[in-house]
Amino acid sequence: MCYAEEAALLRLEEVFSATLARINNLVLQPMLSAAPEPSDPRSRECLCLVQQLHKNSQRLWEVTEESLHSLRERLRHPDSVGLESLLLLRDTDHILQVHVEYIQSYTDCVVAQAFQKAVKKRSEYWRVQRKALRQLLSDVSSEGTVGPALAQALRQPLTHHVQKYVLLLLSLGDSVSEHHPARQLVVHAATLLGNLQSFMRQALDQAGATQALWATLSSRLRDVLCTPAHRLLWDSQDVPVMVSPLRVDRVLLFDDALVLLQGHHVHTFDLKLVWLDPGQDRNTFHVITPEEELSFCTKDPEGQVVWQQKMTQAVCQALRGKKDFLALGVDLEPPESPTCRYGAYTFHKEGRLCQATYEGEWCRGRPHGKGTLKWPDGRNHVGDFCQGLEHGFGICLVPQAAEDKFNCYKCHWWEGSMRGYGICEYSNDEVYKGYFQEGLRHGFGVLESPLQAPNPYKYTGHWERGQRSGYGVGEDGDRGERYIGMWQADQHHGLGVVVTQAGVCYQGSFQADKIVGQGILLSEDDSLYEGTFTRDLSLMGKGKVTFPNGFTLEGSFGSGTGRGLQMQGVLDTAALPPDPSNTRKRQLGRGAFPVESRWQGIYGPFRDFVHAGCPQDLQEPMLGFHVQSSRELRQSQEYLCCERTHLEGSRDSIDDMLEELLQHREPPARQQYLKKALSSSLHPLGKLLRMLMQSFQATYAGMGANKHLQGLAQEEVKQHAHELWAAYRGLLQVALQRKGQAPEEEEDAETRDLHVHGLVLPLVLPSFYPELFTLYLLLHEKEDSLYSQGITDLSLFSDTKLLEFLDVQKHLWPLKDLTLTTNQRHSLVRDKCFLSATECLQKIITTVDPREKLEVLERTYGEIEVTVSRVLGREHKLPMDDLLPLLIYVVSRARIQHLGAEIHLIRDMMDPVHAGGLYDFLLTALESCYAHIQKEDMRLHHLPSRWNPRESW
């Protein structure tokens, strides 16, 4: 049993509760109730401190009453109320926290000299109360000042109380058996209260030393340094130290700051942003701060050890939080302060960071890691830093003159400037997506103005040091034209092609945005002009016009205001009409812009990424990323963020991609891997394909959909397929290298072409197909128009009439396939013969893959032979004389639109391995059918008198 110790605890709590009540009545209430409202800031601060002390005193009294109540209940019902029910044991942490808060507010008052200032305001009253204070404290003299007496009255009862707490709990622990359920609670409470006792001694000593410090300083320095939160830890007057390069008079180490006094100047350094390094000898050590590097030198090694140890402990304590009970009461300081930290600092020295505030991660005095940098003028940078510079991904807002308008840069940075891929949204609503170097646009990029802009404009192409230079495509919405070609210093310079909304095309040379020398102009009606021009493509100077009918006009051209086009020359009407296909299908740009060099700004970063070994941290800077529009960032600067895909820890990291590539390197699985990779917006191959699509659409969609650019587009698609295969090969070599395996041998040209046309081109063609097929449609529009008219005319025939018209031998007619009613005759049935072949051929438009189109054609040929074999009752191989009429019949009944565009796209994009083979044979047969259906004789419903099916082969 331990009733004696519990009874002693009860008496201790009763005495302490009564003492707290008397202190409240005799000291705290008088200090607050009768005090006039102070006018100066210091006095108001002291009043607030006393009010906080009174509040914490009330909480301390309340928790003491609760503890007292639990003790009474325990002693009144010892059998039913266990020892663990005591508040002192079951809620020791709460009791401890209340004591710590009281001590903290008391020491704040001591440091701020709040008690002395309170006494001065009512000195007569407190002289009268001295007798009451002597009753409260045995050692208060009648001659001493009242201020220290007040401080002692508020401190002494608590220190004595905690001391007796510890002794009684230790005694209680000795009297409780080892196996008692409350044994651990008692030991824990005794330990914590012992720590509280140490904490109180430390806190009171620091507050007393800090209060004594103020008397040694001038009033000016005291006004700067005297704050309730300051606690003096060390003073150079105790252990002298010299600081260089500053010549300081005194060094003060507080619990939250290092202070250097230099005359009337005060240099203050936040301890959270102070790093220590050993010096070159045993008497020195170095202090690193965000803007200073200081050397501390003592007279002897012992002084150096003391100063460095005290400063290291203070830094660690500041980083943990100086208000924390365990940090102050128990010696938990590690031997070294952490190198990486989190903090905020405002720079003051001249330079690019002057007046800027950085909040975030630090390393050895410099921003390092993730953080936010803000300038007073509204500039913000949020992102990654390295050794004090923006480095890695970051978002920067730069305010503009217009109210609430910002330029927003979402980019990758390198040593303080933008480098790599970025997306920039400007205050005028222009958007740039592309590459940077040294803070300037450099490499491939797209600059686009909003559609509602007064002069809408878009540029897709290469940049050099912030200017458009190299190959690029510029679209001027105001002029209604698109320029495709070479640039220099933001101007058209070199060979170029201009395409207008009116369908006019120009190819020639430019210099500083001006047309120079000879050029050619193709109008929408296929008229051709060769000569010199004005900037707006008006005919000027010597030239020659060739009209679609073959007439030529050669001479000098000019124009005057309001007088239209004028010319002086010779009109030649005797020339033979030119081949329409030569004029109509003239292609521009081919040879002027080598396809291998057009989009090096897109291919280059990918090659660099592969050559670097595909490091994860370079994937975004080199290959790009996608983010949401940040219009909302222009409305508020409170928080900047960027929603972009993070690859770390996901199945889409570069390591996983390379591992999967090795697992699917064999031919059957390789196609599936490439299909998946090219369709993924996260895979390097998918990113590369999307950039190529972007440049292709910028060149050939909309205004660029001109038939004279078909050859330029077709060779570009093939080149993209070559580059994507080379990119795949590069990734494969990196994957093998990472596994320590031997690299694959270099491919020869034949093997490479086989893979490009047989594997890659069918996979990438759908990405470019809409724009590419549109060019084919425009290029073969006239032939397709004649073909459509021929199909319309032939559709008027019944099946038997058409077979007869095409001179198909009657024993090949599939009349047994026709199911007639009693009122029908063979001569009236339409669209029933060779129905399976017709339906098969119609599927040619359901795919964009040239190989699959050729397979459809092969199956159509097979269906024709199957039908003929069934009619003849035996297997039959059609000779060439019989195949063409039957194929014309099937084509006319399939009614495929734009068959000419389809045929030419298949011919241009088919795998060269099929040249001279079955697919080539069948495609040639289809071309013959297409050509025959266009012929005027066919459209007039009669065949030439001596029609030879072989003549088209």
Side-chain angles (χ1 to χ4, degrees):
M1 302 298 289
C2 45
Y3 296 143
E5 288 78 4
E6 294 176 56
L9 280 172
L10 176 63
R11 290 192 297 272
L12 179 64
E13 295 285 46
E14 289 175 340
V15 171
F16 188 56
S17 177
T19 303
L20 287 175
R22 292 182 64 195
I23 290 173
N24 183 59
N25 293 330
L26 290 174
V27 180
L28 293 174
Q29 288 288 1
M31 289 176 69
L32 293 172
S33 59
E37 183 67 27
S39 58
D40 62 291
R42 288 287 186 185
S43 298
R44 286 198 296 271
E45 181 183 57
C46 289
L47 178 60
C48 292
L49 292 174
V50 174
Q51 290 172 342
Q52 186 62 42
L53 178 61
H54 178 253
K55 179 180 177 181
N56 289 334
S57 175
Q58 284 294 109
R59 292 188 62 196
L60 185 58
W61 178 80
E62 290 169 0
V63 78
T64 304
E65 284 292 307
E66 292 178 24
S67 176
L68 190 58
H69 176 73
S70 65
L71 282 164
R72 286 170 178 161
E73 285 296 311
R74 162 68 178 160
L75 293 173
R76 190 179 297 120
H77 308 288
D79 296 331
S80 58
V81 179
L83 185 61
E84 60 275 6
S85 67
L86 296 182
L87 181 68
L88 188 59
L89 301 183
R90 62 179 166 83
D91 207 356
T92 312
D93 291 335
H94 174 62
I95 293 176
L96 220 61
Q97 184 61 34
V98 173
H99 281 74
V100 169
E101 290 172 358
Y102 179 85
I103 288 296
Q104 188 64 52
S105 59
Y106 169 79
T107 54
D108 287 347
C109 291
V110 171
V111 170
Q113 299 177 319
F115 303 130
Q116 288 84 339
K117 293 177 181 178
V119 169
K120 285 182 181 180
K121 292 185 178 296
R122 301 187 64 198
S123 57
E124 192 63 35
Y125 171 81
W126 289 110
R127 274 198 294 272
V128 175
Q129 294 296 321
R130 187 185 298 277
K131 182 178 180 181
L133 290 174
R134 281 205 304 271
Q135 295 175 358
L136 194 63
L137 300 169
S138 59
D139 53 351
V140 174
S141 65
S142 57
E143 291 81 13
T145 58
V146 179
L150 292 177
Q152 187 178 356
L154 293 166
R155 178 191 73 240
Q156 192 179 77
L158 180 62
T159 56
H160 289 171
H161 180 66
V162 173
Q163 183 180 7
K164 292 178 181 178
Y165 251 159
V166 174
L167 294 174
L168 286 174
L169 284 173
L170 290 174
S171 176
L172 181 61
D174 292 339
S175 62
V176 175
S177 65
E178 287 284 344
H179 305 291
H180 194 283
R183 166 77 178 176
Q184 292 298 324
L185 293 175
V186 174
V187 173
H188 177 68
T191 303
L192 289 183
L193 287 169
N195 291 339
L196 175 62
Q197 199 172 8
S198 300
F199 165 75
M200 289 173 59
R201 279 197 300 269
Q202 181 180 337
L204 294 171
D205 290 345
Q206 290 176 358
T210 308
Q211 183 186 21
L213 170 68
W214 308 141
T216 66
L217 301 177
S218 65
S219 60
R220 183 174 180 178
L221 294 177
R222 189 163 53 245
D223 290 340
V224 174
L225 296 176
C226 183
T227 61
H230 267 333
R231 299 293 185 271
L232 181 65
L233 304 181
W234 206 244
D235 190 342
S236 62
Q237 289 189 348
D238 299 326
V239 178
V241 65
M242 294 177 60
V243 181
S244 60
L246 299 176
R247 300 178 62 87
V248 301
D249 305 321
R250 191 173 181 181
V251 181
L252 302 174
L253 178 62
F254 290 95
D255 60 343
D256 59 350
L258 174 65
V259 176
L260 308 181
L261 303 182
Q262 190 179 28
H264 294 297
H265 297 287
V266 179
H267 304 275
T268 304
F269 304 97
D270 184 357
L271 287 182
K272 292 181 179 179
L273 298 177
V274 169
W275 287 259
L276 279 73
D277 273 348
Q280 296 179 348
D281 55 58
R282 297 176 59 192
N283 290 9
T284 62
F285 65 95
H286 302 292
V287 173
I288 302 172
T289 70
E291 294 187 276
E292 300 280 359
E293 289 194 17
L294 307 172
S295 179
F296 280 59
C297 182
T298 59
K299 293 181 178 180
D300 49 54
E302 291 76 11
Q304 186 265 357
V305 171
V306 170
W307 266 106
Q308 188 168 349
Q309 182 181 13
K310 289 287 185 181
M311 206 173 292
T312 301
Q313 291 175 348
V315 169
C316 294
Q317 192 178 95
L319 291 172
R320 286 198 308 268
K322 63 175 186 174
K323 307 294 185 185
D324 183 68
F325 165 69
L326 288 178
L328 287 174
V330 183
D331 186 14
L332 294 177
E333 288 84 354
E336 293 183 2
S337 56
T339 302
C340 298
R341 308 169 190 175
Y342 185 93
Y345 181 81
T346 300
F347 294 86
H348 301 287
K349 285 192 173 183
E350 290 297 326
R352 73 182 191 94
L353 297 182
C354 184
Q355 302 304 314
T357 299
Y358 173 79
E359 181 177 359
E361 297 171 345
W362 295 76
C363 181
R364 298 182 59 76
R366 296 181 179 181
H368 190 88
K370 297 190 180 298
T372 302
L373 194 60
K374 295 183 179 181
W375 281 265
D377 62 2
R379 282 181 296 159
N380 284 2
H381 183 97
V382 178
D384 298 327
F385 293 80
C386 181
Q387 296 299 313
L389 298 173
E390 299 90 335
H391 192 91
F393 183 78
I395 305 175
C396 184
L397 283 186
V398 180
Q400 301 302 298
E403 184 180 356
D404 202 24
K405 289 286 187 176
F406 294 84
N407 287 346
C408 179
Y409 302 89
K410 293 175 280 190
C411 309
H412 281 268
W413 301 69
W414 181 272
E415 296 181 354
S417 63
M418 291 181 287
R419 177 174 169 180
Y421 188 82
I423 298 177
C424 303
E425 296 173 343
Y426 300 97
S427 58
N428 60 0
D429 291 328
E430 288 184 347
V431 178
Y432 173 80
K433 298 180 180 181
Y435 292 91
F436 289 86
Q437 184 172 304
E438 296 180 0
L440 300 174
R441 301 168 189 157
H442 192 90
F444 173 77
V446 179
L447 178 66
E448 185 174 10
S449 67
L451 293 176
Q452 64 272 20
N455 300 309
Y457 187 83
K458 180 179 181 180
Y459 174 78
T460 304
H462 298 273
W463 299 75
E464 186 173 338
R465 299 194 61 78
Q467 296 181 321
R468 289 163 289 183
S469 292
Y471 182 79
V473 179
E475 182 167 319
D476 190 334
D478 187 45
R479 296 177 61 90
E481 63 182 35
R482 179 176 295 174
Y483 173 83
I484 304 167
M486 305 307 295
W487 298 69
Q488 182 176 305
D490 276 338
Q491 295 178 323
H492 304 162
H493 194 92
L495 292 175
V497 173
V498 175
V499 183
T500 69
Q501 285 180 332
V504 176
C505 293
Y506 165 82
Q507 177 177 315
S509 296
F510 291 78
Q511 187 171 349
D513 260 350
K514 296 180 180 179
I515 297 175
V516 294
Q518 297 284 317
I520 62 173
L521 185 74
L522 287 166
S523 62
E524 194 173 18
D525 66 351
D526 297 325
S527 296
L528 169 66
Y529 172 78
E530 300 168 276
T532 56
F533 304 83
T534 63
R535 173 66 181 89
D536 59 358
L537 301 182
S538 298
L539 310 188
M540 179 65 70
K542 292 184 178 181
K544 177 183 178 181
V545 178
T546 302
F547 297 98
N549 61 0
F551 292 1
T552 62
L553 181 61
E554 186 171 2
S556 297
F557 295 82
S559 60
T561 305
R563 292 183 296 174
L565 177 66
Q566 298 177 342
M567 73 83 53
Q568 183 177 0
V570 177
L571 175 65
D572 184 3
T573 60
L576 294 174
D579 183 352
S581 62
N582 291 338
T583 304
R584 186 170 63 250
K585 297 181 180 180
R586 184 188 295 269
Q587 293 299 295
L588 302 180
R590 300 188 72 171
F593 320 116
V595 67
E596 300 85 2
S597 59
R598 283 179 211 163
W599 300 110
Q600 286 301 315
I602 299 178
Y603 306 142
F606 188 94
R607 294 194 193 109
D608 294 341
F609 177 69
V610 172
H611 291 158
C614 301
Q616 183 74 52
D617 59 337
L618 292 184
Q619 185 171 356
E620 279 193 357
M622 289 188 170
L623 305 184
F625 55 86
H626 175 74
V627 294
Q628 300 295 327
S629 172
S630 58
R631 304 298 182 193
E632 67 277 4
L633 298 182
R634 302 178 184 179
Q635 307 300 322
S636 171
Q637 299 182 61
E638 295 177 1
Y639 181 67
L640 302 182
C641 65
C642 183
E643 294 295 333
R644 74 194 204 283
T645 305
H646 294 278
L647 303 179
E648 296 82 356
S650 71
R651 277 294 300 170
D652 295 308
S653 69
I654 191 68
D655 294 333
D656 293 331
M657 293 175 188
L658 295 177
E659 181 68 31
E660 188 178 3
L661 185 149
L662 286 179
Q663 296 172 1
H664 298 80
R665 58 186 293 199
E666 297 303 322
R670 183 167 52 195
Q671 184 175 13
Q672 290 301 317
Y673 175 83
L674 280 171
K675 184 177 181 180
K676 176 183 175 183
L678 292 169
S679 63
S680 170
S681 61
L682 302 180
H683 196 285
L685 293 177
K687 289 185 176 183
L688 179 57
L689 176 59
R690 276 157 182 75
M691 279 199 183
L692 295 173
M693 288 169 56
Q694 188 179 20
S695 66
F696 194 81
Q697 291 167 359
T699 309
Y700 305 110
M703 205 182 301
N706 190 291
K707 62 186 178 183
H708 301 296
L709 300 180
Q710 178 268 340
L712 203 67
Q714 177 241 114
E715 66 179 10
E716 204 164 287
V717 172
K718 291 183 178 180
Q719 179 64 25
H720 292 340
H722 275 276
E723 292 290 344
L724 285 164
W725 174 249
Y728 166 80
R729 293 274 300 172
L731 290 176
L732 177 59
Q733 302 292 28
V734 172
L736 292 171
Q737 184 180 6
R738 289 191 177 189
K739 290 292 185 180
Q741 301 179 23
E744 287 197 346
E745 295 181 0
E746 194 71 27
E747 288 183 320
D748 56 49
E750 184 179 351
T751 305
R752 182 172 59 252
D753 290 343
L754 181 65
H755 286 131
V756 169
H757 288 88
L759 181 61
V760 181
L761 190 58
L763 294 176
V764 303
L765 189 57
S767 300
F768 306 105
Y769 193 80
E771 294 78 22
L772 183 63
F773 191 66
T774 299
L775 297 177
Y776 275 90
L777 290 178
L778 295 172
L779 185 62
H780 301 284
E781 184 177 17
K782 290 190 176 180
E783 295 100 314
D784 276 338
S785 177
L786 294 174
Y787 158 79
S788 296
Q789 184 60 49
I791 291 294
T792 302
D793 293 340
L794 294 178
S795 65
L796 300 176
F797 285 99
S798 65
D799 288 352
T800 54
K801 288 291 185 181
L802 181 57
L803 290 170
E804 181 181 5
F805 174 72
L806 294 175
D807 202 18
V808 176
Q809 298 184 48
K810 287 194 175 183
H811 68 281
L812 301 180
W813 293 12
L815 298 181
K816 62 175 65 176
D817 292 343
L818 304 180
T819 304
L820 304 178
T821 64
T822 54
N823 297 326
Q824 282 184 324
R825 290 176 295 173
H826 286 103
S827 60
L828 299 179
V829 176
R830 186 180 287 117
D831 295 331
K832 295 297 184 181
C833 291
F834 295 99
L835 182 60
S836 62
T838 301
E839 292 176 344
C840 184
L841 184 60
Q842 288 171 340
K843 295 178 181 177
I844 201 170
I845 63 173
T846 61
T847 178
V848 301
D849 185 350
R851 181 183 177 86
E852 292 180 357
K853 290 178 181 288
L854 290 171
E855 290 173 350
V856 169
L857 189 57
E858 182 184 15
R859 289 196 297 272
T860 302
Y861 171 70
E863 289 294 335
I864 294 174
E865 282 202 334
V866 167
T867 302
V868 170
S869 298
R870 187 175 64 252
V871 170
L872 299 177
R874 55 182 171 81
E875 185 176 348
H876 180 73
K877 293 295 182 181
L878 288 170
M880 196 180 302
D881 294 345
D882 294 336
L883 173 61
L884 188 60
L886 288 174
L887 192 56
I888 293 176
Y889 173 87
V890 171
V891 170
S892 66
R893 289 308 194 220
R895 299 181 180 88
I896 298 170
Q897 291 186 335
H898 315 300
L899 183 60
E902 292 279 2
I903 290 173
H904 286 88
L905 188 143
I906 296 171
R907 175 66 73 187
D908 291 341
M909 293 295 172
M910 68 184 287
D911 193 339
V913 74
H914 299 311
L918 175 62
Y919 286 158
D920 194 2
F921 165 78
L922 293 175
L923 185 60
T924 304
L926 185 62
E927 289 171 336
S928 297
C929 297
Y930 176 73
H932 276 298
I933 293 174
Q934 292 179 64
K935 289 181 178 180
E936 185 177 7
D937 291 334
M938 186 74 76
R939 290 183 283 113
L940 294 177
H941 295 178
H942 65 81
L943 293 172
S945 56
R946 298 190 58 165
W947 177 47
N948 183 6
R950 294 176 176 269
E951 67 182 10
S952 301
W953 292 68

